[in-house]
Amino acid sequence: MKKTTAASRSTAKRPGRPTGSARGPEQRNLLLDTALVLFARQGIADTTMAAIAREAKVTPAMVNYYFKSRDQLIDDLIEERFLPVRAAMGGVFEAHADDPMAAITELAQRFVDVATAYPWFAPLWVRGVITHDNILKQRMHERVGDKHHKAVLICIRQWQRKGLMNAELEPSLLFMSLLGLTILPLATIMTRQIGSKDHPVDAKVIARHAIALLVHGVGPQK
C-alpha cells in the first residue's frame, strides 16, 4: 500500500484552476467583458455571478476562480475598464483653459470616440440614468472622489465670469448635456437605424451634430 506523505496530502487539497481555464488572462478578460455586456443589458443589480458564467459559457467555478465575489469583479472592472475610459476623457478643460469652445468641441469628440471604441459604455451609461442604478457611480466616487468634477465646474464658472461662455448655462448640467447629446444617440444606433437609408446617422454625424448644437445653437450661423 502506497504511503501518503504530508506533502502529497497538501498537494491533493490545494484548489486548482477549473478545467478549461488554461488561457488565463484571456479567460479573465472574457469574463470582465461578459459582465459589462450583461450590466449594460439588464443592470448590475440583476446580474449574478451565475448569469455571467452562463453568458460566457463557463462554469460558475471558473468565475469564482478569478473573482471571489461580485464586489471584487466590480472593483476590477473599475480599475481595468472604467478608469482608463475616464482618463481618455480627462484633461480637456485644462488643455483649453482660455478657449471653452475648443474644450467643448474636443470633449464631444472624445465622448464619441470612447463610446465607439468601447461598445458597452453608451448602453451602460443610459441604463444607469434611466434605472438609477448607481452602484458603479458610487464605487467610482469611492475610488476617485469628485476633485476633478469640482475643478471642471470652477473652470466653467470662470469662463462665464470672463464672458467667454453663456452666463445662462448651468455649470452642473453642461457635462450631462454633452453626454446626452452624444452617448444617448450612440446607444440608440446600436439597436436601430436613425435617419434614412441614404443618409444614416453614424458616430461622425452624432459628433458633428452635438458640436454644432452646443457651440452654435439652433439659430442660423452668423
Side-chain angles (χ1 to χ4, degrees), residues 83-99:
L83 289 184
V85 168
R86 186 176 184 272
M89 295 188 291
V92 175
F93 284 68
E94 295 84 351
H96 301 285
D98 298 318
D99 192 345

Side-chain angles (χ1 to χ4, degrees), residues 1-55:
M1 180 172 163
K2 186 176 180 180
K3 185 177 181 181
T4 303
T5 65
S8 64
R9 286 196 302 271
S10 176
T11 301
K13 292 179 181 179
R14 187 179 303 138
R17 181 180 296 175
T19 303
S21 61
R23 288 180 293 171
E26 290 119 345
Q27 184 69 72
R28 183 177 178 279
N29 283 330
L30 170 64
L31 296 176
L32 287 174
D33 292 338
T34 301
L36 284 172
V37 170
L38 287 178
F39 288 169
R41 183 193 306 164
Q42 61 192 37
I44 298 174
D46 294 328
T47 300
T48 64
M49 299 286 271
I52 295 171
R54 287 194 300 271
E55 185 76 10

Side-chain angles (χ1 to χ4, degrees), residues 136-198:
L136 276 175
K137 183 178 179 181
Q138 291 171 354
R139 300 292 277 274
M140 279 287 291
H141 185 271
E142 293 170 1
R143 177 69 172 76
V144 301
D146 59 358
K147 182 179 179 180
H148 176 72
H149 179 67
K150 289 180 178 178
V152 168
L153 294 182
I154 291 173
C155 187
I156 294 172
R157 293 188 182 107
Q158 288 176 343
W159 284 337
Q160 290 176 314
R161 285 194 296 268
K162 293 178 181 179
L164 298 174
M165 179 174 278
N166 188 345
E168 295 300 316
L169 293 174
E170 171 53 49
S172 60
L173 292 177
L174 185 60
F175 200 78
M176 185 177 294
S177 299
L178 187 54
L179 279 168
L181 284 172
T182 54
I183 303 304
L184 180 57
L186 282 165
T188 303
I189 65 173
M190 291 180 181
T191 58
R192 65 182 178 87
Q193 179 179 303
I194 300 178
S196 65
K197 292 182 179 180
D198 296 331

Side-chain angles (χ1 to χ4, degrees), residues 85-147:
V85 168
R86 186 176 184 272
M89 295 188 291
V92 175
F93 284 68
E94 295 84 351
H96 301 285
D98 298 318
D99 192 345
M101 296 305 100
I104 294 298
T105 298
E106 182 174 339
L107 190 56
Q109 187 61 59
R110 287 199 190 187
F111 283 164
V112 172
D113 291 343
V114 164
T116 302
Y118 304 97
W120 49 265
F121 180 77
L124 187 59
W125 182 83
V126 171
R127 169 167 285 280
V129 171
I130 294 174
T131 64
H132 306 291
D133 189 347
N134 293 322
I135 295 176
L136 276 175
K137 183 178 179 181
Q138 291 171 354
R139 300 292 277 274
M140 279 287 291
H141 185 271
E142 293 170 1
R143 177 69 172 76
V144 301
D146 59 358
K147 182 179 179 180

Side-chain angles (χ1 to χ4, degrees), residues 191-209:
T191 58
R192 65 182 178 87
Q193 179 179 303
I194 300 178
S196 65
K197 292 182 179 180
D198 296 331
H199 186 66
V201 173
D202 58 14
K204 291 182 179 180
V205 174
I206 290 171
R208 188 187 71 234
H209 170 80

